[in-house]
Amino acid sequence: MAEGRAGLLVVDVQNDFVPGGALPVPEGDRVVPVLNEYTRRFRAAGLPVYFSRDWHPERTKHFKEYGGTWPPHCIQGTRGAEFHPELEVPPDAVIITKGADPEEDAYSAFQGRTPEGEPFAERLRRDGVTHLYVGGLATDYCVRASALDALKQGLRVTVLLDAVRGVDVQPGDSERALAELREAGADTATLDSLRLEEGAAQSTS
Ligand code: VGL
Ligand code: ZN
């Protein structure tokens, strides 16, 4: 097989994760225009884009009320679970749905599936993606878990520093997550440092 190409993963940019939502990430809405620009650049280079969404049932052990951590959020079919209205999701984007199982938290997009029911990792393999660029919400939960799983899958991972924001339940959680990701082998990029080529990508940060 030819050397793989890059893909973009936009993690959980949903109404409940931005200010005004049920589980707001401070400044979560600020990632939207930046991610729109990343999406345009990937599409212009002919590279695939993936959008994960948190998609919970009303009862799940993910929620505080049923033994978990969080207030109810991103409940299937509600407005809070919809992508942010200004997020540009191209028609050929692949939506990755996770968190639908009431028995698991599913922080990672790699616990999610395509609309056809295919696990995310398999879809990436079929698409020839070997380098995943990751942005979205939240740095210290779903971005962290997705990037760590991507590394475990043997993918090259670049975290998009200008397109992530964290919850910071404990102050410093997001910074610690980024340090952990670098330690695990991820690199980082911003719009200014991004260098994409058709069928391949590298960054210079
Ligand atoms: C997330 C907390 C709970 C996330 C999802 O998308 O980062 N965080 N569920
Ligand atoms: Zn959740």
Side-chain angles (χ1 to χ4, degrees):
M1 192 174 96
E3 198 184 312
R5 57 185 182 152
L8 173 66
L9 171 62
V10 173
V11 177
D12 297 4
V13 181
Q14 293 163 273
N15 289 322
D16 272 342
F17 292 130
V18 301
L23 180 47
V25 177
E27 299 186 346
D29 52 336
R30 301 259 197 115
V31 302
V32 171
V34 184
L35 285 166
N36 288 344
E37 179 61 24
Y38 280 111
T39 299
R40 284 184 217 119
R41 293 201 196 176
F42 275 73
R43 296 310 298 127
L47 298 170
V49 294
Y50 307 88
F51 287 71
S52 70
R53 60 176 186 178
D54 215 27
W55 195 248
H56 298 303
E58 270 174 49
R59 279 184 84 112
T60 160
K61 66 182 208 186
H62 186 58
F63 295 163
K64 209 175 290 173
E65 202 184 338
Y66 306 106
T69 310
W70 307 104
H73 62 274
C74 296
I75 293 173
Q76 297 165 9
T78 63
R79 193 186 128 67
E82 286 171 17
F83 289 124
H84 187 286
E86 278 151 45
L87 185 70
E88 289 166 19
V89 183
D92 61 350
V94 179
I95 309 300
I96 304 296
T97 296
K98 65 180 179 63
D101 180 343
E103 297 300 322
E104 64 176 25
D105 289 302
Y107 293 118
S108 168
F110 286 84
Q111 290 168 280
R113 292 173 183 266
T114 68
E116 295 76 36
E118 186 174 32
F120 183 39
E122 276 175 37
R123 177 63 196 242
L124 289 172
R125 262 192 296 278
R126 279 204 307 115
D127 290 346
V129 171
T130 55
H131 184 174
L132 199 61
Y133 288 75
V134 185
L137 307 172
T139 313
D140 36 357
Y141 288 92
C142 292
V143 169
R144 170 183 177 274
S146 301
L148 286 173
D149 275 352
L151 290 163
K152 283 184 203 137
Q153 293 283 328
L155 298 168
R156 188 174 162 202
V157 173
T158 299
V159 180
L160 301 171
L161 290 179
D162 48 356
V164 295
R165 290 293 189 282
V167 185
D168 289 316
V169 172
Q170 303 295 330
D173 279 352
S174 293
E175 280 312 311
R176 279 189 290 278
L178 290 172
E180 182 186 9
L181 287 168
R182 286 195 185 92
E183 192 75 15
D187 59 17
T188 57
T190 59
L191 278 174
D192 286 342
S193 73
L194 184 75
R195 302 284 177 273
L196 290 178
E197 292 167 21
E198 317 254 339
Q202 36 193 332
S203 112
T204 58
S205 71

